[in-house]
Amino acid sequence: MVAVALLALLLLALVAIGLLGRAHYALRSGARAAAEADPVTGLPGRPRFRADLDARLADGGPTTLLLARLDGFAAYDAAFGHRAGDALLVRLADELRRAVRDEAVAYRPGGTTFCALTAHDVLSIDALERRVSAALREQGNGFAVAASVGRVSIPREAATSAEALRLADARADLARRAADPKPRDASPTAALADALALTGDHALGAAELAEAVAKRMGVSALERAHVRLASQLSGLGKLALPDALLGKAGELSAEERAYVRDHPVIAERILLRARGLEAVAALVRSSREHFDGSGHPDGLAGEAIPLGARIVAVCDAFDAMLSHRPWRPAMTTEAALAELRRGAGSQFDTAVVDAFDAVIDKRSRLFA
């Protein structure tokens, strides 16, 4: 009996060792895969790209390398911040992954470089190259990002990975100079100029209302000027959003909603680069906070939200409701006022809604 028990323990120990070994191998494999992935986009990164390129060269079969360099991204990243820049890279990577699916493997070796490797013949490469170029292109009111693509046939044009990359990079640079796309300047100064040019009647109307409400609530003349400008520039961060996202008629994904919610922070970043607009920048940052603390980006509540930001929130919401959107028609003044009253105490400061209601009522009687 003792011998049987010892044999059973030995078998259990061997099974446990086997399971631990498999678990250790799985952990090592997972860690290796994570290390080979680009941490921002999730695409295979530089180590995997170089290994795959070397493997294809060693195999000797026909392969095409497509190397794409982004034009205009550095200015976008500098103007709107690294968080917005990373979000843009993620969107571009997703588009690239979809564009080459089943035909090539997409990579991000680093920086502003994306690559694709495919074994397809030359006749299909032209269409694939066009899809790669289209996938890595995005534009909005305040920016334009495009890609210059260099193509190399392996092993016909290059015998080593270093030769292939050198030639692909040179051809990408040649494509950039030949096309000379001149992406729009996304510097803070240019973005601010664009914002002022794009304000239009709606933004100016909201700014006038914000100033009138601030005056009714006893705000000083200097602070009223800050409130007016904050209302006029509260949408400045939307210059970093692509046209396709701003005009989307359907429901936004969780990632898209998070990106849109970031626009007050992007606006603050731009305004802080302009001397003398620090107070305006603070109001713009807090203009999407909710009185009950459910807003963003900082989750401020009640009087912790600057009064000027609470005023901007009400006036901007009213103006937005009166404007047509791809997902809904414009509301009537009466319906918009009713929405503000429903949001008083939760989304909006009740005192600000009351002051706004009084301003609108006075204006209505003047023009009756």
Side-chain angles (χ1 to χ4, degrees):
M1 292 294 292
V2 173
V4 172
L6 287 174
L7 181 60
L9 286 173
L10 179 60
L11 288 172
L12 286 173
L14 290 172
V15 170
I17 291 171
L19 291 174
L20 286 171
R22 290 173 68 182
H24 180 64
Y25 176 78
L27 285 172
R28 287 185 63 188
S29 298
R32 185 166 57 250
E36 290 179 349
D38 170 47
V40 176
T41 66
L43 289 176
R46 182 183 298 275
R48 169 77 181 280
F49 169 66
R50 293 303 295 265
D52 287 356
L53 180 58
D54 287 339
R56 286 176 182 264
L57 281 161
D59 179 65
T63 297
T64 297
L65 163 64
L66 295 173
L67 183 147
R69 293 207 183 280
L70 299 181
D71 304 316
F73 177 80
Y76 179 97
D77 192 63
F80 303 125
H82 296 315
R83 183 169 175 175
D86 285 351
L88 173 59
L89 289 174
V90 169
R91 292 198 307 279
L92 294 176
D94 289 343
E95 289 297 323
L96 178 61
R97 190 184 288 112
R98 283 191 287 269
V100 305
R101 184 171 45 204
D102 300 330
E103 294 188 56
V105 180
Y107 307 84
R108 185 193 174 216
T112 60
T113 301
F114 289 85
C115 291
L117 287 174
T118 179
H120 278 56
D121 59 44
V122 175
L123 291 176
S124 67
I125 294 299
D126 289 335
L128 183 63
E129 182 177 339
R130 287 193 294 270
R131 288 200 298 278
V132 167
S133 181
L136 297 176
R137 183 183 302 124
E138 191 170 278
Q139 66 180 36
N141 282 328
F143 73 97
V145 173
S148 301
V149 182
R151 184 166 101 189
V152 177
S153 295
I154 299 170
R156 183 169 58 85
E157 295 182 306
T160 67
S161 58
E163 288 177 6
L165 289 171
R166 223 174 7 249
L167 184 55
D169 188 62
R171 287 177 176 174
D173 184 61
L174 183 64
R176 181 190 62 78
R177 287 187 280 116
D180 193 23
K182 290 186 173 63
R184 286 184 65 181
D185 183 5
S187 68
T189 303
L192 184 56
D194 280 344
L196 290 170
L198 292 166
T199 51
D201 293 338
H202 286 299
L204 291 172
E208 290 172 1
L209 283 173
E211 186 177 22
V213 172
K215 184 175 183 179
R216 184 174 185 86
M217 299 188 75
V219 173
S220 70
L222 177 60
E223 291 173 328
R224 289 202 303 271
H226 291 161
V227 169
R228 180 187 177 100
L229 191 54
S231 178
Q232 190 175 351
L233 295 176
S234 62
L236 177 59
K238 292 180 181 179
L239 291 173
L241 304 180
D243 294 337
L245 187 58
L246 288 174
K248 187 174 180 179
E251 185 177 354
L252 299 180
S253 67
E255 293 79 9
E256 289 170 335
R257 284 196 300 272
Y259 191 49
V260 170
R261 283 163 62 95
D262 259 356
H263 80 80
V265 178
I266 296 172
E268 178 197 37
R269 174 187 172 86
I270 297 170
L271 290 169
L272 286 175
R273 300 285 291 276
R275 191 182 302 276
L277 292 180
E278 293 82 4
V280 175
L283 296 182
V284 169
R285 179 185 179 94
S286 299
S287 63
R288 295 301 181 266
E289 301 287 1
H290 291 177
F291 200 69
D292 62 4
S294 64
H296 57 90
D298 302 307
L300 302 179
E303 294 188 0
I305 307 169
L307 175 58
R310 284 177 267 154
I311 293 171
V312 171
V314 169
C315 296
D316 282 3
F318 179 77
D319 181 73
M321 286 186 280
L322 294 186
S323 304
H324 175 77
R325 294 290 187 266
W327 57 91
R328 61 152 178 82
M331 297 172 65
T332 64
T333 298
E334 293 72 19
L337 287 171
E339 282 295 317
L340 291 180
R341 295 186 191 106
R342 273 192 287 273
S346 54
Q347 181 174 352
F348 308 114
D349 181 351
T350 301
V352 175
V353 173
D354 289 342
F356 182 86
D357 207 348
V359 168
I360 292 296
D361 181 64
K362 181 179 179 180
R363 291 191 173 196
S364 299
R365 285 187 280 106
L366 283 175
F367 293 102

